[in-house]
């Protein structure tokens, strides 16, 4: 999973191709809970590029996208939001895959 480096990069990525942004933070226990399953999820859905957004570094991006709970996911296809799985609750692999399947 690539890490978001700049706000400008976020705008470029969301408008070019199919991306799923994972909003997370180092201190977030529920975020660390899903870390081990993320490589498998990424491999299962190669049509998407997965991008990690550090909530603490990019709080403005979170606020602009109404992401107030983590871990959260937002999917885009060439600038069009396909869907969001945004909440503060712990997520299972099945829930994440169901979200991606629903896009």
């Amino acid at each position: 999973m690539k890490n978001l480096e700049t706000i400008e990069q976020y705008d470029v990525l969301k408008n070019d191709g199919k991306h799923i942004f994972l909003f997370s933070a180092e201190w977030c226990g529920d975020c660390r809970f899903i870390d081990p399953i993320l490589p498998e999820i990424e491999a299962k859905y190669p049509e998407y590029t997965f991008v990690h957004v550090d909530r603490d570094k990019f709080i403005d991006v979170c606020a602009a996208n109404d992401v107030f709970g983590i871990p959260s996911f937002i999917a885009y296809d060439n600038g069009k939001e396909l869907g969001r799985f945004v909440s503060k609750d712990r997520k299972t692999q099945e829930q994440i895959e169901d979200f991606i399947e629903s896009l």
Side-chain angles (χ1 to χ4, degrees), residues 17-90:
K18 294 175 87 168
H19 293 85
I20 295 178
F21 294 91
L22 164 60
F23 294 83
S24 178
E26 284 299 317
W27 51 263
C28 169
D30 290 339
C31 302
R32 301 294 64 80
F33 176 78
I34 63 172
D35 278 350
I37 61 172
L38 290 174
E40 183 179 338
I41 291 171
E42 282 185 89
K44 191 171 181 178
Y45 301 97
E47 65 272 26
Y48 292 98
T49 300
F50 289 77
V51 182
H52 175 261
V53 180
D54 186 313
R55 175 221 174 266
D56 294 332
K57 291 181 184 173
F58 296 102
I59 193 72
D60 292 341
V61 173
C62 293
N65 286 284
D66 296 323
V67 175
F68 299 107
I70 53 175
S72 288
F73 298 83
I74 301 179
Y76 289 95
D77 184 359
N78 293 312
K80 179 178 183 257
E81 185 177 312
L82 298 176
R84 54 179 50 220
F85 189 14
V86 176
S87 72
K88 64 178 177 48
D89 300 325
R90 178 173 283 187

